[in-house]
């Protein structure tokens, strides 16, 4: 009879300290519960690769075998995500009726942004795969091609030269696949009286640019540009294009780095502390998973504060919106995490939260609920009760591996009394959405939900989910 194997001795206290110092040095210490046991050898390998690629030599490297063991011993066999069809349902006064596929193109669309303008009742649609920016107005089946570019991600509407016409700032990634390069750019499109645009490149040789917004950063009377440069592993930063002069239509822009962290998810300008000066909010993904505010101290001086960090580097922060959600006169932040492209697995902490502005530059986190693959939120008073609700969409390519009903792909959170939010499912299983926005598309006074398509085999670019009373039949 074979002798029983002796029990494996636990990791020593010194070994655990070494592991935690090494794995938690440049970001939050990863939580073993975020991946199943089977996944941890790959996650550990990737972590060591990141350290090697960083060229750092100041940390004491623990044994890889010990690191894998550290995480596997505390990790679950399987990361359990509640099924969508098993979650409680609560009646609502409205429902969302899907309309027809719109913006169909050859091949699969990769709609990165939907930008609705109330005044012109027009929708700008960026397709990151095709590199197109197109315009749609209700009543038209076809979309007008505005321009093509280098994998256009987001567009910002503005009046750059003060002529009363709508100009556009484009953030261009430079490639559809992720990668470290300097093929991204920021483009200014100035609208002419005849409806055409003059196109000017404000900055070239950037990493993968997600977004660009105008701001008078140094308060000298002309527009500078904040650039959210996601990059990838070795490239990416929050950058400023400082306006050094030239003509208003062809400015001389100098590129400056405000923060060299990669993984910038977006940037938005707003008065976040109520002092009548414009601040700006930045969110980061990758290993940082943070939301940060640059408070305007006037005269071009800024004071940065990290107001929120997710507890683990694999929570997959994705996007945010700035809005006065509780109607108290202070601006809040609605934030999503759910980027599944790194590991392609469902995680039970993907979803939506809001960061409540408590005043005095203090913020309070409120978790609202699950949405696997949550990539973008949007906010509106969907049920017309006088307060703001939230909708969000999800992208999860592996959803089809589960039986029907496992995952919601579109949800909305109804705000009720005492700042309580009730989760409602709008669509299940078709987890192919990376963008959404809101607008009264059919002119009936109700705010509709416009949802972008990313993996739709029909090639559709987007679809309108029409807001209707719940009693209306199909």
């Amino acid at each position: 009879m074979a002798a029983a194997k002796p029990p494996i001795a636990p990791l020593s206290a010194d070994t655990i300290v070494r592991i935690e110092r090494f794995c938690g040095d440049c970001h939050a210490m990863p939580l073993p519960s975020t991946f199943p046991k089977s996944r941890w050898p790959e996650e550990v390998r990737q972590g060591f690769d990141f350290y090697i690629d960083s060229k750092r030599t100041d940390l004491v490297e623990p044994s890889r075998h010990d690191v894998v063991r550290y995480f596997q011993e505390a990790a679950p066999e399987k990361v359990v995500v509640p099924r969508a069809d098993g979650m409680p349902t609560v009646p609502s006064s409205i429902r969302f009726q899907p309309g027809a596929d719109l913006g169909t193109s050859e091949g699969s669309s990769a709609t990165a942004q939907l930008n609705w303008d109330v005044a012109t009742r027009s929708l700008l649609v960026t397709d990151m795969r095709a590199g197109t920016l197109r315009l749609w107005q209700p009543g038209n089946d076809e979309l007008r091609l505005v321009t093509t570019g280098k994998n256009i991600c987001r567009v910002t509407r503005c009046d750059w030269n003060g002529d009363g016409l709508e100009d556009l700032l484009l953030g261009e990634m430079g490639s559809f696949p992720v990668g470290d390069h300097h093929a991204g750019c920021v483009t200014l499109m100035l609208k002419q009286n005849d409806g055409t645009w003059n196109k000017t490149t404000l900055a070239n040789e950037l990493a993968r640019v997600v977004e660009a917004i105008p701001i008078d950063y140094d308060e000298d009377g002309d527009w500078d540009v904040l650039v959210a440069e996601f990059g990838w592993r070795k490239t990416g930063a929050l950058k400023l294009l400082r306006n050094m002069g030239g003509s208003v239509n062809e400015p001389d822009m100098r590129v400056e780095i405000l923060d060299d962290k990669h993984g910038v998810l977006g940037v938005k300008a707003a008065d976040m502390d109520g002092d009548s000066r414009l601040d700006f909010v930045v969110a980061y993904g990758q290993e940082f998973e943070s939301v940060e505010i640059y408070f305007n101290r006037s005269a071009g001086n800024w004071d940065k504060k990290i107001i929120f960090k997710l507890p683990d580097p694999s929570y997959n922060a994705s996007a945010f919106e700035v809005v006065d959600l509780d109607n108290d006169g202070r601006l809040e932040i609605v934030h999503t995490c759910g980027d599944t492209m790194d590991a392609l697995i469902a995680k039970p902490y993907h979803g939506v939260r809001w960061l409540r502005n408590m005043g005095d530059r203090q913020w309070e986190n409120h978790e609202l609920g699950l949405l696997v693959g949550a990539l973008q939120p949007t906010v509106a008073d969907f049920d017309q009760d006088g307060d703001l609700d939230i909708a969000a969409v999800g992208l999860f390519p592996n959803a089809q591996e589960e039986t029907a009903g496992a995952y919601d792909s579109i949800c909305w959170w109804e705000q009720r009394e005492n700042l309580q939010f009730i989760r409602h499912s709008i669509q299940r299983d078709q987890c192919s959405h990376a963008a959404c926005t809101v607008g009264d598309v059919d002119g009936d006074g109700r705010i509709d939900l416009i949802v972008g398509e990313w993996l739709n085999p029909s090639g559709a670019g987007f679809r309108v989910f029409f807001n209707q009373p719940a009693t209306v039949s199909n």
Side-chain angles (χ1 to χ4, degrees), residues 226-419:
L226 291 172
V227 181
E229 195 186 54
F230 184 88
W232 193 39
R233 299 285 174 77
K234 301 178 182 178
T235 56
L238 174 65
K239 291 185 175 178
L240 173 71
L241 305 185
R242 191 185 293 272
N243 194 329
M244 304 302 294
S247 68
V248 65
N249 291 347
E250 294 188 5
D252 177 20
M253 309 298 272
R254 184 178 71 195
V255 180
E256 300 177 10
I257 296 176
L258 300 181
D259 193 320
D260 64 2
K261 295 196 298 288
H262 59 176
V264 189
L265 299 171
V267 58
K268 301 186 187 304
D271 179 7
M272 301 304 295
D273 55 2
D275 64 356
S276 300
R277 292 193 292 262
L278 203 60
D279 313 304
F280 62 91
V281 185
V282 189
Y284 290 88
Q286 301 291 67
E287 68 267 36
F288 306 108
E289 305 286 274
S290 64
V291 178
E292 307 180 8
I293 299 179
Y294 282 70
F295 291 104
N296 189 343
R297 296 294 197 186
S298 79
N301 296 310
W302 300 80
D303 178 17
K304 184 180 76 170
K305 180 177 181 179
I306 298 174
I307 66 162
F308 177 72
K309 283 183 73 71
L310 287 163
D312 184 275
S314 65
Y315 263 57
N316 310 120
S318 51
F320 71 100
E321 291 291 333
V322 174
V323 64
D324 183 3
L325 191 61
D326 57 6
N327 195 31
D328 66 352
R330 296 189 292 257
L331 291 173
E332 277 82 37
I333 296 167
V334 178
H335 182 265
T336 54
C337 62
D339 184 353
T340 61
M341 293 306 181
D342 62 341
L344 292 175
I345 65 172
K347 299 178 181 180
Y349 40 80
H350 281 174
V352 182
R353 66 189 50 81
W354 70 290
L355 306 178
R356 188 180 183 189
N357 188 341
M358 305 304 292
D360 296 324
R361 301 187 181 183
Q362 300 300 310
W363 303 80
E364 186 175 85
N365 178 36
H366 295 258
E367 297 290 328
L368 297 183
L370 174 70
L371 179 60
V372 171
L375 277 197
Q376 192 172 86
T378 189
V379 179
D381 183 5
F382 292 115
D383 54 2
Q384 297 182 304
D385 65 351
D387 55 33
L388 291 175
D389 312 300
I390 301 168
V393 297
L395 177 66
F396 182 37
N398 287 1
Q400 67 274 12
E401 296 181 2
E402 299 284 345
T403 57
Y407 303 111
D408 284 318
S409 50
I410 311 173
C411 290
W412 76 285
W413 281 261
E414 175 190 358
Q415 184 174 170
R416 294 191 175 177
E417 293 181 356
N418 301 317
L419 300 177

Side-chain angles (χ1 to χ4, degrees), residues 48 68 79 98 100 124 128 133 168 177 186 189 194 213-214 242 292 307 327 333 335 354 469:
F48 273 86
V68 171
V79 175
L124 292 172
M128 207 167 80
L133 172 65
L168 307 174
V186 173
M189 299 187 63
D194 62 1
I213 67 167
R242 191 185 293 272
E292 307 180 8
I307 66 162
N327 195 31
I333 296 167
H335 182 265
W354 70 290

Side-chain angles (χ1 to χ4, degrees), residues 422-456:
I422 306 299
R423 181 185 184 276
H424 302 284
S425 174
I426 297 175
Q427 183 193 67
R428 284 191 180 141
D429 300 321
Q430 190 180 326
C431 302
S432 60
H433 315 300
C436 63
T437 193
V438 293
D440 182 6
V441 174
D442 55 6
D444 66 353
R446 293 178 173 274
I447 303 298
D448 307 306
L449 180 63
I450 313 169
V451 174
E453 295 291 343
W454 190 276
L455 300 170
N456 193 325

